Amino acid sequence: MNAARPLPGPDHDEQGSWQEELREQFPIVTAHPESAYLDSAATSQKPRAVLEAVQTYLTTSNANAGRGTYTWANRTTELVEETRQRVKEFLHDPEPDRSGVHFTGGTTEGLRTVARDWLVPYLSDGDEILVPYADHRANLEPWLEARGLLAERGVHVRVRALPYQEVSGDYDHRAFDGVVGPRTRFVAATHVHHVYGGDMNVHRLRAAVGPDVPICLDAAQSVGHLPVDLADPALDVDFVVFSGHKAMALPGTGAVWARNARGPVFRPAGWQGTPNTAGIVSLRAALDWLDAAGPDRIARWTTGLTTRLTDRLRHLGPYEVLGCPDSLAAGSALPAAQRRHGIVTFRHRDIPSDDLGFILFSHGFMVRADSLCQAGADEKEGSVRVSLHVYNTVEEIDRLLGVLESLT
């Protein structure tokens, strides 16, 4: 690597010791110092506090929630209800008495629940919905499924594609007027893109559709990675759906937050069976841990690392950084809201992405290397995604850059 050109990155004097203390709290990370886990957009690692909370629950009060009158069952029921409130607090819910929280197995299940149980009854013949055709497939397929269910009932709904900027992958707010109309009844959007890492600027969608159209936000790559403040008018959405396992909770854990201010109150249909109580306990512990660490500081750290990686990678000839390279370049003039968060995705001109993924793994780097579940993407045209969290270090990024540069 060219040592003559200094690389940007996190302010180590300001945050270095803070990050080192947090990294030590991840047993799987400290147990494998020779490896670098760079796939946190797929799932995050778990801090000791989360693991201990789950173990304590399972060894002291494990029972079914809402189905018993004895002490363990009552305590489990309390934990579930307390975690609902904790989710609202973590998201800075401005009206917690009106809103609701429903626990799911993850973002995909949550979006399908909104689509089937809330959207289908809400729409009428001739209505239109706007959905993303180049985001994660989990934020496209449920809305297409809802259209199919409505068609079976003789209700015909038009699904319109959100427009995209060709280079950056952001939504093209300049083209919103061409897709928003008087029959627009619902919008599905993404907070942070899982391939490009960009903040998709949902406030521009709200301005385009007006104050009355419900917006459902896929927040799988934002909750647990950066501050999510629903009291901020720029985040005036009606649903926030996220995966707990990407926010340091256990796998099979997620939630739907519903504002319940536009349209009917969100109530999942059907009999609600036994919840994932251990996962819900882990989610509460994860949110406590994240709040203590500081989502804003976590975001600054991961953005510093992605800036360091992108700023060098974009100058290496064989590599194409997907999305707008300037969104993570050092000294970028772009507003903070348009800069990418913890994700850098790229291709090598001559090495297939799956092969590059194997090469990087042979050097101790765990990355995602495939089509990344992106809707509309050609399965044969993969890419390599590096996604970071607070346990990643400057040293890991520099080692990764050294390997990537050796392949030029």
Side-chain angles (χ1 to χ4, degrees):
M1 196 160 44
N2 184 3
R5 185 175 181 274
L7 292 175
D11 187 330
H12 195 275
D13 291 336
E14 176 189 359
Q15 299 206 92
S17 60
W18 163 84
Q19 188 272 340
E20 290 168 3
E21 291 176 2
L22 295 185
R23 177 181 168 87
E24 289 298 315
Q25 297 178 38
F26 291 83
I28 195 172
V29 173
T30 56
H32 300 280
E34 75 287 352
S35 300
Y37 182 77
L38 306 176
D39 197 19
S40 291
T43 196
S44 65
Q45 298 304 333
K46 322 305 176 190
R48 189 174 293 105
V50 170
L51 303 175
E52 291 176 350
V54 173
Q55 183 178 30
T56 297
Y57 165 71
L58 291 175
T59 56
T60 61
S61 57
N62 177 44
N64 210 330
R67 290 167 172 83
T69 57
Y70 51 91
T71 303
W72 294 356
N74 290 339
R75 180 54 186 150
T76 297
T77 302
E78 290 172 359
L79 286 169
V80 171
E81 294 308 312
E82 289 170 2
T83 306
R84 293 188 205 279
Q85 299 307 311
R86 190 68 185 88
V87 170
K88 296 180 184 183
E89 293 171 1
F90 187 79
L91 298 177
H92 303 282
D93 185 343
E95 296 184 274
D97 293 337
R98 167 187 278 185
S99 63
V101 173
H102 172 66
F103 295 114
T104 69
T107 303
T108 301
E109 180 187 333
L111 293 170
R112 289 191 77 237
T113 302
V114 174
R116 294 171 65 94
D117 297 346
W118 186 88
L119 184 62
V120 168
Y122 177 66
L123 296 177
S124 302
D125 195 69
D127 285 346
E128 298 181 352
I129 64 175
L130 304 181
V131 303
Y133 272 77
D135 296 357
H136 198 286
R137 289 185 64 182
N139 203 16
L140 173 63
E141 299 294 339
W143 318 117
L144 300 182
E145 182 182 6
R147 178 182 62 181
L149 291 172
L150 285 163
E152 292 174 1
R153 305 176 187 182
V155 178
H156 299 285
V157 170
R158 183 179 183 184
V159 176
R160 307 196 69 170
L162 282 168
Y164 290 85
Q165 298 178 30
E166 184 175 350
V167 175
S168 69
D170 296 338
Y171 300 139
D172 188 352
H173 63 280
R174 297 163 298 185
F176 285 164
D177 288 345
V179 296
V180 175
R183 296 303 300 271
T184 300
R185 294 289 183 267
F186 175 81
V187 180
T190 299
H191 195 186
V192 171
H193 200 280
H194 75 293
V195 176
Y196 311 116
D199 184 320
M200 302 300 278
N201 293 295
V202 68
H203 65 282
R204 292 173 174 170
L205 272 172
R206 171 57 68 203
V209 301
D212 301 322
V213 177
I215 297 176
C216 179
L217 194 66
D218 174 353
Q221 300 301 339
S222 56
V223 172
H225 298 262
L226 65 152
V228 178
D229 185 355
L230 295 173
D232 186 342
L235 208 58
D236 181 12
V237 298
D238 300 87
F239 297 94
V240 171
V241 188
F242 67 94
S243 297
H245 74 89
K246 296 185 181 185
M248 300 190 177
L250 291 186
T253 309
V256 177
W257 171 89
R259 190 182 293 274
N260 294 328
R262 301 177 180 94
V265 172
F266 172 65
R267 291 190 178 93
W271 178 257
Q272 301 299 304
T274 299
N276 177 6
T277 54
I280 292 169
V281 167
S282 77
L283 179 58
R284 176 177 175 170
L287 298 182
D288 288 346
W289 190 93
L290 288 163
D291 257 345
D296 55 340
R297 298 187 74 179
I298 292 172
R300 288 200 302 273
W301 181 264
T302 57
T303 299
L305 294 180
T306 43
T307 301
R308 189 177 186 89
L309 175 57
T310 305
D311 193 66
R312 180 58 183 160
L313 194 59
R314 65 200 289 262
H315 292 96
L316 297 180
Y319 295 96
E320 173 197 7
V321 179
L322 303 190
C324 177
D326 288 339
S327 64
L328 274 179
S332 172
L334 291 176
Q338 292 179 268
R339 304 189 73 188
R340 288 186 285 177
H341 300 279
I343 293 174
V344 180
T345 304
F346 56 90
R347 297 190 182 103
H348 192 286
R349 182 182 59 219
D350 302 314
I351 304 174
S353 294
D354 52 353
D355 290 344
L356 183 54
F358 281 117
I359 292 170
L360 292 177
F361 180 65
S362 71
H363 289 274
F365 300 102
M366 291 172 272
V367 299
R368 179 79 177 266
D370 54 33
S371 61
L372 306 181
C373 297
Q374 185 176 11
D378 187 340
E379 295 291 334
K380 297 179 181 179
E381 187 178 19
S383 55
V384 172
R385 182 181 68 187
V386 171
S387 53
L388 305 161
H389 219 306
V390 70
Y391 36 73
N392 293 119
T393 66
V394 171
E395 186 271 338
E396 289 175 339
I397 295 302
D398 289 350
R399 282 199 292 120
L400 174 65
L401 283 167
V403 173
L404 293 174
E405 187 164 5
S406 73
L407 301 174
T408 60

